[in-house]
Amino acid sequence: MEALIPVINKLQDVFNTVGADVMQLPQIVVVGTQSSGKSSVLESLVGRDILPRGTGIVTRRPLILQLVHIDTDDCRKTSEENESKKNGRLYRGIDGEEWGKFLHTKNKIYTDFEEIRQEIEAETERISGNNKGISDEPIHLKIFSPHVVNLTLVDLPGITKVPVGDQPRDIEIQIRELILKYISNPNSIILAVTAANTDMATSEALKVAREVDTDGRRTLAVVTKLDLMDAGTDAMDILMGRVIPVKLGIIGVVNRSQLDINQKKLVGDAIRDEYAFLQRKYPSLANRNGTKYLARTLNRLLMHHIRDCLPELKTRINVLAAQYQSLLNSYGEPVDDKSATLLQLITKFAAEYCNTIEGTAKYIETAELCGGARICYIFHETFGRTLESVDPLGGLTTIDVLTAIRNATGPRPALFVPEVSFELLVKRQVKRLEEPSLRCVELVHEEMQRIIQHCSNYSTQELLRFPKLHDAIVEVVTSLLRKRLPVTNEMVHNLVAIELAYINTKHPDFADACGVMNNNIEEQRRNRMRDLPCAVPRDKAAAGCSQSASVSEQADGGTGNWRGMLRKGEEGTAGDRPLNPTPASPQRGHAVNLLDVPVPVSRKLSVREQRDCEVIERLIKSYFLIVRKNIQDSVPKAVMHFLVNHVKDCLQSELVGQLYKTVLLDDLLTESEDMAQRRNEAADMLKALQKASQVIAEIRETHLW
């Protein structure tokens, strides 16, 4: 059991060598207010004056203090061996039996403890400055002595409330956050220090300890300054746990006064005086209080705590080792064969790019659609729904249809609806399908551009090692996509142009639609005849309808009779709503000059005009739906063939042809500046974790666990 603490110290050394704080190792964290006696307690445990002294806040950086117990015989043997070496070893030149060593000074040995105190002050000011500010960067100090027990302690700045001098205004918050950072470690033991001449119920140390250790399973209270209590009072109730119970116990100690420190009173003498005071003042509790009892208790608690924490530590070390191994693999090994490495990276990128389109990539995006799935969504959702939202008669008014019919007849009145007007209008509507089709090409092109970044971020992390190669690959793929874009746009443009080139009125779907429409018109004619008065003979009604369907209406209001148009415009009732507002109309009863007044075109349509417009609109709608269906089917096929599949088929050959050149090898495979550093850091951390795992394995083999 006693060997467990050196094991933790060894683990701490392992992680200190790589400058990492990834493990929550068991340790004792000392918490208390300013001038509560924290530093005196630590010095009593060490047996030496090692900590800075002064007024106000003195401890301004965490001090991780490792006490390592060594035998006197081993110390002499080490000293003799070191002196026998000319070049020196780790502990060369040690004259005494106690010495210290800082992490930041590497292998320098301190045998003068006054020099250790000065180094702590200098290192504190180096990071925190001399303005009484604090820093969370710890100082690591290891003390080797035959007079100490194995402990790992953390001394933190004392809790304060009011900034003093040029301290930051939020000094209280900074210190509190720093304390919580260390005591929140579930593997730590909290040593809450409180002065006996203050009210235990207002102890800031116990208060902050309870915030993270609500059940008190890892909190030990230390009551200092027992000799400074008011006359006639004692700390019996406090030490017995009657005021505030603490599960791990309450231990009282007597520290050196400031006068003792000024007079250079030795810590050993102070411990003897402490023992005498406890025997005189608290004889029944003397054997359960004092500095020596505190040291033994901390040693015992820490050993049991380490034993309980080791299984979790082992699991965490194994998990971290796996993570750093994966990280190191992502950084790759140093390049030996540049030619093979370049070809391998190019091939892998091309394969991952194609797999992302096919949906077989190793890293599948879960947050949004990507690659081939996104292209499919563009084809069938974005593009498909956009085409379906296009109104076959959008932007086409009845006046536009009537005007096209009239323009197609020329100077002579027409007996039938001219077919040229239908072709003219339907081409105008079909032309509207070109813009969404070209937009579909653009969206697919953008998605294929996004796939490049996706492959760089997730699929081929090796490219992050070589930023120039990454940029070159992006440039080649972007250039290939850029070259295919006009070709694909031209093909899509031709698809629409093909539909415009020949209006196939013999299309089976169009012929069926015409047949249905003729049946509907005939049914409407029968319904009108059925609604005629009984006094009108059916043959005359039919003749009248036939005649009105051919010539007679044009005599009064046809497309070629100007007088009829004007007369009907004058005789129109107020209830007849024109299709478009009339810019100017002659007043009734006034002479009309046909050379000055424009021909009025806004009037109520005749029955034949309404029928002709209705026929043209139905034909346009029917044929437009046929063309839209063709475009909706052919555009995705054209995009896949001319853009997507072509890039997939030519990507690797394009990359090899552009980049796989001897003159480019050295430049393309130049690593980023920080990649080598990160690889070394990951390798060092992995070695540290593997070494830590071996240390824990040794514990199992020696039955310490």
Side-chain angles (χ1 to χ4, degrees):
M1 287 288 293
E2 184 68 26
L4 286 176
I5 297 178
V7 168
I8 293 299
N9 290 341
K10 188 181 294 185
L11 289 177
Q12 185 71 57
D13 293 340
V14 167
F15 295 114
N16 286 343
T17 56
V18 294
D21 187 21
V22 295
M23 296 302 298
Q24 295 179 326
L25 297 175
Q27 55 193 5
I28 300 171
V29 182
V30 185
V31 179
T33 57
Q34 281 186 25
S35 303
S36 62
K38 294 188 297 84
S39 298
S40 296
V41 171
L42 290 175
E43 288 182 338
S44 298
L45 294 173
V46 177
R48 291 279 195 159
D49 292 332
I50 62 170
L51 299 177
R53 293 284 183 170
T55 58
I57 181 170
V58 178
T59 303
R60 297 188 287 127
R61 288 179 60 184
L63 175 65
I64 299 179
L65 178 62
Q66 292 177 264
L67 304 182
V68 182
H69 175 79
I70 57 174
D71 294 333
T72 306
D73 296 337
D74 294 338
C75 180
R76 285 197 297 266
K77 182 179 178 181
T78 302
S79 180
E80 292 172 0
E81 290 178 351
N82 288 331
E83 301 231 354
S84 65
K85 303 292 184 179
K86 290 184 178 180
N87 295 330
R89 288 173 47 132
L90 184 61
Y91 304 131
R92 181 177 184 273
I94 298 177
D95 297 326
E97 60 182 5
E98 298 176 295
W99 68 89
K101 178 184 175 186
F102 287 97
L103 176 65
H104 63 270
T105 58
K106 304 303 179 183
N107 295 330
K108 183 178 179 180
I109 303 302
Y110 295 83
T111 56
D112 184 356
F113 283 83
E114 177 64 21
E115 190 179 357
I116 291 178
R117 184 184 61 79
Q118 294 174 358
E119 180 61 30
I120 293 176
E121 292 179 345
E123 181 65 12
T124 298
E125 292 187 357
R126 186 179 67 86
I127 299 298
S128 304
N130 54 8
N131 63 345
K132 299 299 183 180
I134 67 170
S135 171
D136 61 351
E137 185 176 342
I139 299 174
H140 293 267
L141 172 62
K142 186 179 291 188
I143 300 294
F144 299 85
S145 172
H147 307 298
V148 299
V149 295
N150 292 312
L151 288 176
T152 300
L153 302 142
V154 180
D155 186 23
L156 296 174
I159 301 172
T160 185
K161 292 292 184 181
V162 181
V164 178
D166 55 356
Q167 286 182 345
R169 293 186 176 181
D170 61 341
I171 188 68
E172 178 186 0
I173 299 176
Q174 292 184 23
I175 294 176
R176 178 180 176 82
E177 291 177 349
L178 179 60
I179 292 174
L180 289 175
K181 174 184 176 182
Y182 279 87
I183 66 176
S184 297
N185 174 11
N187 297 332
S188 65
I189 295 176
I190 304 172
L191 190 65
V193 179
T194 304
N197 55 359
T198 61
D199 190 351
M200 190 76 169
T202 62
S203 172
E204 290 289 338
L206 289 175
K207 178 183 176 182
V208 73
R210 284 188 174 181
E211 292 183 18
V212 296
D213 183 31
T214 55
D215 54 1
R217 290 187 303 123
R218 54 187 183 91
T219 300
L220 174 66
V222 174
V223 179
T224 62
K225 304 182 181 181
L226 292 176
D227 56 332
L228 298 181
M229 297 188 68
D230 294 338
T233 63
D234 60 32
M236 185 67 71
D237 290 340
I238 295 176
L239 297 177
M240 294 293 290
R242 296 169 185 165
V243 178
I244 296 180
V246 180
K247 285 188 178 181
L248 294 185
I250 301 176
I251 300 176
V253 297
V254 177
N255 300 328
R256 293 178 298 168
S257 64
Q258 188 61 44
L259 178 61
D260 294 336
I261 296 173
N262 294 338
Q263 293 178 351
K264 305 296 182 181
K265 184 177 182 178
L266 298 178
V267 175
D269 296 338
I271 292 177
R272 284 192 294 270
D273 292 344
E274 175 192 50
Y275 179 74
F277 173 83
L278 291 174
Q279 289 289 347
R280 183 179 68 256
K281 188 72 174 177
Y282 305 97
S284 62
L285 301 178
N287 61 340
R288 287 182 290 166
N289 290 276
T291 301
K292 289 187 176 181
Y293 180 77
L294 174 62
R296 292 195 302 268
T297 302
L298 290 176
N299 179 264
R300 174 177 53 82
L301 290 175
L302 187 58
M303 283 191 299
H304 286 283
H305 198 63
I306 290 172
R307 182 191 61 188
D308 296 337
C309 295
L310 276 179
E312 181 184 351
L313 282 176
K314 181 178 182 298
T315 301
R316 180 166 173 78
I317 286 173
N318 292 337
V319 171
L320 284 174
Q323 292 176 352
Y324 274 92
Q325 182 65 60
S326 176
L327 182 63
L328 187 61
N329 293 338
S330 68
Y331 292 152
E333 297 294 332
V335 178
D336 294 328
D337 189 348
K338 292 187 177 182
S339 179
T341 300
L342 178 59
L343 185 59
Q344 179 184 3
L345 291 175
I346 288 175
T347 303
K348 185 172 183 179
F349 179 88
E352 289 295 336
Y353 189 92
C354 297
N355 290 339
T356 303
I357 295 176
E358 296 295 332
T360 58
K362 182 178 179 181
Y363 298 92
I364 296 182
E365 183 67 54
T366 58
E368 61 179 354
L369 292 178
C370 178
R374 181 74 178 175
I375 294 174
C376 178
Y377 182 87
I378 293 172
F379 285 157
H380 301 290
E381 297 294 332
T382 306
F383 177 61
R385 291 187 178 183
T386 300
L387 289 187
E388 291 174 0
S389 67
V390 178
D391 184 7
L393 300 177
L396 195 63
T397 65
T398 305
I399 289 297
D400 295 335
V401 177
L402 184 60
T403 302
I405 295 174
R406 289 175 174 176
N407 288 336
T409 60
R412 293 173 297 278
L415 298 177
F416 305 101
V417 178
E419 186 174 346
V420 176
S421 61
F422 162 72
E423 290 195 7
L424 175 67
L425 294 173
V426 81
K427 286 182 178 180
R428 170 180 166 181
Q429 298 306 102
V430 169
K431 184 69 175 176
R432 298 169 59 212
L433 299 176
E434 183 175 8
E435 182 179 352
S437 300
L438 295 176
R439 178 58 181 159
C440 174
V441 178
E442 183 179 351
L443 290 176
V444 174
H445 176 267
E446 291 175 358
E447 178 56 29
M448 296 190 72
Q449 195 74 34
R450 288 179 63 237
I451 295 176
I452 304 175
Q453 190 64 33
H454 173 82
C455 292
S456 301
N457 292 341
Y458 300 100
S459 303
T460 53
Q461 293 186 1
E462 293 90 341
L463 286 179
L464 300 178
R465 295 177 56 192
F466 312 109
K468 291 186 178 181
L469 175 60
H470 175 266
D471 295 342
I473 289 178
V474 171
E475 179 61 29
V476 171
V477 181
T478 302
S479 177
L480 179 60
L481 290 172
R482 193 184 303 117
K483 287 190 296 185
R484 298 306 302 173
L485 184 59
V487 178
T488 309
N489 283 336
E490 182 66 21
M491 182 60 198
V492 171
H493 174 77
N494 288 337
L495 289 176
V496 179
I498 289 171
E499 296 291 346
L500 296 174
Y502 181 65
I503 305 301
N504 184 16
T505 56
K506 292 296 184 181
H507 193 283
D509 296 341
F510 186 70
D512 294 342
C514 291
V516 172
M517 184 180 65
N518 290 334
N519 293 336
N520 292 338
I521 294 176
E522 183 63 23
E523 182 65 24
Q524 293 175 4
R525 188 184 67 80
R526 293 195 188 99
N527 292 337
R528 287 198 301 269
M529 292 180 64
R530 191 181 301 114
D531 296 337
L532 289 176
C534 298
V536 180
R538 291 290 176 180
D539 55 347
K540 292 185 179 180
C545 291
S546 175
Q547 186 177 8
S548 65
S550 57
V551 182
S552 62
E553 288 184 1
Q554 295 189 18
D556 295 330
T559 58
N561 194 316
W562 295 99
R563 296 178 181 239
M565 291 169 60
L566 293 174
R567 190 184 321 78
K568 286 186 176 288
E570 294 173 358
E571 295 175 356
T573 62
D576 295 333
R577 183 176 58 86
L579 295 176
N580 285 319
T582 305
S585 57
Q587 297 291 331
R588 184 171 181 177
H590 291 270
V592 178
N593 187 344
L594 297 181
L595 298 179
D596 297 330
V597 180
V599 178
V601 294
S602 298
R603 58 181 176 76
K604 183 179 179 181
L605 299 183
S606 65
V607 176
R608 172 171 178 163
E609 289 172 340
Q610 291 179 354
R611 186 201 64 189
D612 291 347
C613 291
E614 182 180 352
V615 169
I616 292 295
E617 288 175 355
R618 291 186 178 184
L619 291 175
I620 291 173
K621 183 175 182 179
S622 175
Y623 194 82
F624 180 87
L625 295 178
I626 295 172
V627 176
R628 186 175 71 182
K629 183 178 179 181
N630 294 340
I631 294 296
Q632 190 171 352
D633 179 66
S634 59
V635 167
K637 293 178 179 179
V639 174
M640 286 298 297
H641 176 73
F642 287 92
L643 182 60
V644 179
N645 290 343
H646 187 277
V647 171
K648 283 171 50 183
D649 296 339
C650 301
L651 180 58
Q652 174 148 354
S653 60
E654 189 76 13
L655 288 172
V656 172
Q658 295 287 340
L659 304 179
Y660 191 64
K661 300 176 181 179
T662 305
V663 294
L664 298 177
L665 284 178
D666 293 336
D667 185 50
L668 293 178
L669 295 182
T670 301
E671 285 188 325
S672 59
E673 296 179 357
D674 60 338
M675 182 58 66
Q677 179 182 353
R678 285 189 288 174
R679 186 193 298 110
N680 293 335
E681 291 175 353
D684 293 341
M685 190 65 201
L686 182 60
K687 290 179 181 178
L689 291 168
Q690 292 171 346
K691 190 174 182 180
S693 181
Q694 293 175 0
V695 171
I696 294 181
E698 293 173 1
I699 300 176
R700 297 179 63 92
E701 293 175 0
T702 55
H703 305 287
L704 294 175
W705 181 3

